[in-house]
């Protein structure tokens, strides 16, 4: 049996790249991904942020084998044990955290790495403490890729882990230095640290099938780096002009940071980068666990006034609320994955039709099926309020925390 080659699950393309690697790590199934941008004449193969994520996976696991072809269009990944942060092995003894440096060519926000890392953290053997630094850390939302800001991740995604019996009080996201996307959408210079100390044997079965309820309050963060602090007040005033007509309890905090200084490669001189501004809004419902969020950021090329960002973000939040369901499209992949990895029981989740119809959600259902999970059951919610929501039934696989089994 020792000479038997493992059976690889085969995928093509770069879409859902991080999620497929996360599912492979959680289930222990080796995967083979081919034709990664193979038709591109200028930039075939893995992008800088994808290479950086592979290095991050190698840092938080033990025994993982990653084989990348010469052209970068094919990778083979054999997952190891999720060890988390082990002092002396990838983590310094002084800070008790893994230092992961993002390259200057990175065009994705830091939440591109935080979302999959947070999915792995509850199943690690030790605490998951990772600090992201370097010239490629973008803490704001990204205009082209559509990544979440760190504020939305902290206020709208991390609290959902509490629904699975993972105490959110032991999960902390520290934004030590803010940064928007630099020129051309590349690089930033921020510093972010995720400390995830809530490891569980098996996530609880989720039953989030109640009516979403009514919006009771709206919170948010307006941020700007390297520009006038008055941009925050202008965004907040514009957003409140839309939202206060509907909800009286609206509070948006203002956060100003100087632009980070990043040194160019081969030069001792440093220059300011990551200049910009944006807004993150979160609406809390009267139903427990129901959170809606919206992000808007000024493009790196500029040409947008703060009032436009505030108005757009407010209307975007209203559109997300109008989609219905108990989970937004940005948080649905995280919730559905945790449901599939939980105990062998059927959990239920209420989703809006527009959320369920997203390409990302349909692709996740297919990938989970390929990794051995059961098919989802989908039916109408059956309410008379005309919302038209869907009820998704997900049966857990009972994979759980292998590291805890060993311990």
């Amino acid at each position: 049996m020792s000479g038997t080659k493992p059976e690889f699950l085969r995928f093509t393309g770069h879409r859902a790249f991080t999620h497929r690697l996360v599912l492979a790590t959680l289930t222990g199934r080796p995967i083979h991904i081919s034709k990664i941008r193979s038709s591109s004449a200028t930039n075939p193969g893995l992008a800088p942020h994808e290479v950086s994520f592979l290095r991050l996976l190698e840092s938080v696991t033990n025994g993982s084998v990653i084989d990348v072809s010469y052209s970068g269009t094919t990778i083979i990944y054999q997952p190891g044990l999720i060890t988390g942060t082990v002092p002396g092995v990838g983590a310094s003894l002084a800070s008790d955290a893994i230092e992961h440096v993002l390259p200057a060519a990175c065009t994705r926000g830091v939440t591109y790495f935080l979302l999959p890392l947070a999915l792995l953290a509850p199943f690690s053997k030790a605490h998951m403490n990772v600090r992201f630094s370097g010239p490629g850390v973008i803490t704001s939302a990204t205009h082209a890729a559509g990544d979440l800001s760190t504020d939305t991740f902290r206020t709208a995604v991390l609290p959902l882990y509490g629904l699975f019996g993972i105490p959110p009080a032991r999960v902390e996201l520290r934004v030590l230095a803010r940064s928007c996307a630099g020129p051309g959408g590349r690089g930033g210079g921020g510093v972010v640290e995720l400390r995830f100390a809530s490891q569980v044997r098996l996530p609880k079965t989720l039953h989030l099938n109640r009516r979403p309820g009514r919006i009771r309050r709206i919170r948010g963060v307006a941020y700007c780096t390297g520009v006038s602090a008055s941009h925050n007040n202008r965004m907040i005033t514009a957003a409140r002009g839309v939202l206060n007509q509907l909800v009286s309890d609206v509070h948006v905090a203002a956060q100003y940071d100087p632009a980070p200084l990043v040194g160019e490669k081969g030069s001792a001189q440093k220059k300011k980068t990551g200049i910009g501004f944006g807004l993150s809004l979160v609406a809390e419902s009267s139903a427990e666990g129901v959170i809606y969020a919206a992000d808007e950021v000024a493009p790196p090329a500029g040409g947008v006034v703060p009032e436009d960002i505030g108005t757009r973000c407010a209307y975007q939040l209203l559109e997300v609320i109008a989609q219905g369901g108990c989970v937004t499209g940005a948080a649905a992949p995280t919730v559905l994955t945790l449901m599939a990895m939980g105990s062998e029981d059927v959990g239920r989740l209420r989703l809006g039709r527009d959320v369920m119809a997203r390409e990302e959600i349909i692709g996740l259902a297919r990938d989970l099926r390929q990794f051995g999970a059961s098919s989802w059951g989908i039916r109408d919610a059956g309410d008379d309020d005309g919302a038209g929501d869907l009820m998704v039934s997900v049966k857990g696989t009972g994979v759980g925390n292998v590291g805890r089994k060993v311990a």
Side-chain angles (χ1 to χ4, degrees):
M1 294 295 292
S2 58
T4 304
K5 292 184 178 180
E7 182 180 352
F8 289 89
L9 297 178
R10 298 185 178 274
F11 300 94
T12 59
H14 65 280
R15 296 191 180 277
F17 181 78
T18 58
H19 222 92
R20 286 170 177 171
L21 291 173
V22 166
L23 292 178
T25 307
L26 292 175
T27 59
R29 300 285 299 274
I31 62 174
H32 176 280
I33 305 178
S34 60
K35 297 182 180 180
I36 302 174
R37 300 184 184 88
S38 57
S39 59
S40 175
T42 55
N43 296 303
L46 295 170
H49 56 269
E50 293 166 343
V51 175
S52 184
F53 181 73
L54 289 174
R55 290 175 178 160
L56 177 63
L57 265 184
E58 196 175 22
S59 301
V60 300
T61 60
N62 182 25
S64 296
V65 178
I66 302 173
D67 187 11
V68 183
S69 67
Y70 179 77
S71 62
T73 58
T74 302
I75 73 163
I76 293 175
Y77 174 60
Q78 300 183 47
L81 183 68
I82 309 172
T83 53
T85 303
V86 179
V89 183
S92 62
L93 296 174
S95 63
D96 188 28
I98 296 173
E99 187 83 17
H100 187 69
V101 179
L102 299 184
C106 183
T107 58
R108 302 299 298 263
V110 72
T111 52
Y112 173 85
F113 304 90
L114 289 173
L115 282 167
L117 185 65
L119 273 174
L120 295 175
F123 304 93
S124 66
K125 191 172 183 178
H127 295 176
M128 188 76 78
N129 303 330
V130 180
R131 176 183 291 214
F132 294 90
S133 60
V137 179
I138 304 172
T139 64
S140 69
T142 54
H143 192 264
D147 295 314
L148 301 176
S149 66
T150 51
D151 299 290
T152 300
F153 175 76
R154 175 177 53 84
T155 56
V157 177
L158 287 181
L160 298 177
Y161 282 82
L163 302 175
F164 295 91
I166 303 170
R170 303 188 65 191
V171 181
E172 184 181 5
L173 181 69
R174 301 175 181 175
V175 183
L176 305 178
R178 289 181 179 269
S179 175
C180 296
R186 296 182 180 88
V191 180
V192 176
E193 186 173 317
L194 176 67
R195 305 187 76 86
F196 207 115
S198 295
Q199 280 67 46
V200 295
R201 169 66 187 84
L202 206 64
K204 292 182 179 179
T205 303
L206 176 66
H207 295 284
L208 195 59
N209 53 357
R210 64 180 74 92
R211 292 189 179 185
R214 293 183 176 273
I215 302 302
R216 59 190 178 101
R217 64 180 183 178
I218 295 176
R219 297 291 182 263
V221 176
Y223 54 87
C224 62
T225 56
V227 297
S228 173
S230 63
H231 284 55
N232 286 334
N233 295 330
R234 293 165 65 183
M235 286 187 290
I236 293 172
T237 302
R240 289 180 66 97
V242 176
L243 299 174
N244 275 133
Q245 303 177 48
L246 307 170
V247 181
S248 59
D249 189 359
V250 179
H251 178 73
V252 182
Q255 180 70 40
Y256 170 78
D257 289 84
L261 294 172
V262 176
E264 295 184 1
K265 189 175 182 181
S267 175
Q269 294 182 347
K270 294 185 177 181
K271 65 176 183 179
K272 289 185 178 182
T273 187
I275 298 173
F277 52 92
L279 179 62
S280 167
L281 293 175
V282 176
E284 300 179 17
S285 169
S286 57
E288 184 181 359
V290 179
I291 303 173
Y292 303 100
D295 258 316
E296 194 66 41
V297 66
V304 180
V305 296
E307 286 81 4
D308 288 346
I309 297 298
T311 304
R312 287 180 195 172
C313 193
Y315 281 119
Q316 185 186 134
L317 179 64
L318 297 180
E319 289 179 3
V320 172
I321 295 172
Q323 289 177 355
C326 295
V327 176
T328 64
T334 296
V335 174
L336 290 168
T337 301
L338 288 173
M339 292 174 70
M341 296 297 114
S343 57
E344 298 184 49
D345 196 3
V346 178
R348 292 173 178 83
L349 176 66
R350 180 172 180 145
L351 290 178
R353 289 183 181 272
D354 291 337
V355 174
M356 189 66 209
R358 290 172 58 138
E359 181 182 356
E360 184 181 7
I361 305 300
I362 301 300
L364 175 62
R366 292 171 178 166
D367 290 344
L368 283 171
R369 189 75 181 92
Q370 200 162 349
F371 277 99
S374 301
S375 299
W376 298 347
I378 304 174
R379 62 176 177 84
D380 288 329
D383 294 335
D384 298 329
D385 54 7
D389 292 342
L390 297 174
M391 202 69 68
V392 183
S393 301
V394 182
K395 185 178 185 298
T397 57
V399 173
N401 193 328
V402 178
R404 293 280 168 168
K405 291 180 184 177
V406 175

